Amino acid sequence: MIKLVAIDLDGTLLDTNRQITPQVKQAVLDAKKADVKIVITTGRPLMGVIDILKELELTNQSDYVITYNGALVQRATGEEFLKESLTAMDFFDLDNEAKKIGLHMHAITRDGIYTSNRDIGKYTIHEATLVNMPLFFRQPEEIAALEIAKIMMVDEPDVLENGIAYLPFEFFESYNMVKSTPFYLEFMNKKASKGNAVKHLAEKLCLDMDEVMAIGDEENDRSMLQVVGHPVAMENGNNELKKIAKHITKPNTESGVAYAINEWVLKDYK
């Protein structure tokens, strides 16, 4: 029986209007009643997902959330128990490289989004609005002194794709890099991933990975689909991701998360 379901947010739990459909909300509530853990796994910080947790009634001491694409695992009440941050040198290396190849970049902490770009990119502004975080312009030395959860290079898809080709090879070895959207390239601590976070949480809760389902739609969800016993990809998701899925659920426009929970989780509880 599945006892924990890890669910990506954008493109998965949320519909195209970034809303939770009534069917998805009901399925989550039904899963909670069956004592199935529902864990939101997202690239967002806690403050960018707290309203969603409240709507789904996932705010108790026994509820967990995975943020920053796995760099932080915490209770919904805020208590942290797994944290994989980036160093000051990481920031300087990435900031210098982004400026050299002409990409916009920002760093995200638990308190805000920071950039040393005087010409602040529109996708940096978009991210701050999306996750409901304050945006600050600071000098590189000031940003490097902060505790950084992740760094993002953000730009128009063609500009970002071209820029990636110029990144030093050692970056691919030094960081966990995921392209979460066509205009976002994210850098985390090498140990930080949704997969490692889900596995760590399952171990903490004394669950076997065969008792865990993960639902996602993009490349940053790959690591968690790879480690769970029941990987589920969204119909609207990345075609490469679907190749490693045990099940393909309906798209997010048709409450695909609700279908997955009802079809492959709750039937075993009836």
Side-chain angles (χ1 to χ4, degrees), residues 163-194:
I164 290 172
Y166 288 92
L167 291 176
F169 287 129
E170 56 263 31
F171 279 14
F172 296 87
E173 297 297 323
S174 300
Y175 305 104
N176 178 20
M177 295 169 54
V178 293
K179 197 173 184 185
S180 54
T181 76
F183 42 85
Y184 283 169
L185 178 64
E186 309 192 17
F187 297 81
M188 282 87 64
N189 183 298
K190 190 69 175 179
K191 297 178 182 178
S193 71
K194 287 187 177 184

Side-chain angles (χ1 to χ4, degrees), residues 70-73 80-85 110 147 189:
L72 188 61
V73 182
E80 303 170 359
F81 62 88
L82 177 66
K83 179 170 58 178
E84 304 289 0
S85 304
R110 279 169 291 177
E147 186 175 68
N189 183 298

Side-chain angles (χ1 to χ4, degrees), residues 121-225:
K122 74 174 187 180
Y123 290 113
T124 291
I125 296 170
H126 171 77
E127 177 68 4
T129 303
L130 177 66
V131 303
N132 194 30
M133 294 192 86
L135 174 59
F136 305 98
F137 168 76
R138 294 288 188 272
Q139 295 300 318
E141 294 76 14
E142 295 176 277
I143 301 174
L146 303 172
E147 186 175 68
I148 299 172
K150 70 175 182 177
I151 288 171
M152 300 172 68
M153 291 186 186
V154 297
D155 232 305
E156 297 296 341
D158 58 333
V159 176
L160 183 61
E161 192 66 34
N162 184 63
I164 290 172
Y166 288 92
L167 291 176
F169 287 129
E170 56 263 31
F171 279 14
F172 296 87
E173 297 297 323
S174 300
Y175 305 104
N176 178 20
M177 295 169 54
V178 293
K179 197 173 184 185
S180 54
T181 76
F183 42 85
Y184 283 169
L185 178 64
E186 309 192 17
F187 297 81
M188 282 87 64
N189 183 298
K190 190 69 175 179
K191 297 178 182 178
S193 71
K194 287 187 177 184
N196 285 344
V198 169
K199 188 174 181 181
H200 182 92
L201 180 58
E203 290 172 353
K204 177 180 175 64
L205 298 174
C206 299
L207 297 177
D208 188 271
M209 294 312 291
D210 284 338
E211 298 174 305
V212 182
M213 172 184 282
I215 312 173
D217 73 312
E218 278 293 350
E219 273 302 312
N220 61 325
D221 301 315
R222 174 179 290 274
S223 63
M224 70 174 181
L225 265 65

Side-chain angles (χ1 to χ4, degrees), residues 32 37-38 50 53-54 56-65 74-79:
K32 281 198 66 176
K37 290 283 185 191
I38 300 294
I50 195 67
L53 297 178
K54 289 178 179 177
L56 295 175
E57 300 179 22
L58 297 173
T59 57
N60 296 329
Q61 182 73 4
S62 59
D63 292 316
Y64 300 86
V65 59
Q74 58 196 136
R75 295 186 189 273
T77 51
E79 178 190 351

Side-chain angles (χ1 to χ4, degrees), residues 7-159:
I7 309 172
D8 171 55
L9 209 54
D10 297 295
T12 302
L13 183 90
L14 304 180
D15 65 15
T16 50
N17 295 316
R18 297 199 176 95
Q19 300 296 314
I20 300 169
T21 68
Q23 293 89 341
V24 168
K25 182 175 181 179
Q26 189 59 55
V28 169
L29 295 177
D30 290 344
K32 281 198 66 176
K33 288 178 185 176
D35 290 327
V36 176
K37 290 283 185 191
I38 300 294
V39 180
I40 302 303
T41 65
T42 177
R44 299 186 189 190
L46 182 60
M47 69 174 68
V49 73
I50 195 67
D51 288 344
I52 292 167
L53 297 178
K54 289 178 179 177
E55 186 174 351
L56 295 175
E57 300 179 22
L58 297 173
T59 57
N60 296 329
Q61 182 73 4
S62 59
D63 292 316
Y64 300 86
V65 59
I66 294 169
T67 53
Y68 302 108
N69 276 326
L72 188 61
V73 182
Q74 58 196 136
R75 295 186 189 273
T77 51
E79 178 190 351
E80 303 170 359
F81 62 88
L82 177 66
K83 179 170 58 178
E84 304 289 0
S85 304
L86 292 170
T87 68
M89 189 56 65
D90 291 330
F91 175 78
F92 285 129
D93 287 346
L94 290 166
D95 189 52
N96 289 337
E97 196 62 35
K99 287 174 178 172
K100 185 190 301 182
I101 60 181
L103 294 177
H104 289 95
M105 195 193 88
H106 60 252
I108 304 182
T109 72
R110 279 169 291 177
D111 305 311
I113 296 177
Y114 294 81
T115 182
S116 63
N117 299 135
R118 291 188 179 278
D119 173 25
I120 298 176
K122 74 174 187 180
Y123 290 113
T124 291
I125 296 170
H126 171 77
E127 177 68 4
T129 303
L130 177 66
V131 303
N132 194 30
M133 294 192 86
L135 174 59
F136 305 98
F137 168 76
R138 294 288 188 272
Q139 295 300 318
E141 294 76 14
E142 295 176 277
I143 301 174
L146 303 172
E147 186 175 68
I148 299 172
K150 70 175 182 177
I151 288 171
M152 300 172 68
M153 291 186 186
V154 297
D155 232 305
E156 297 296 341
D158 58 333
V159 176

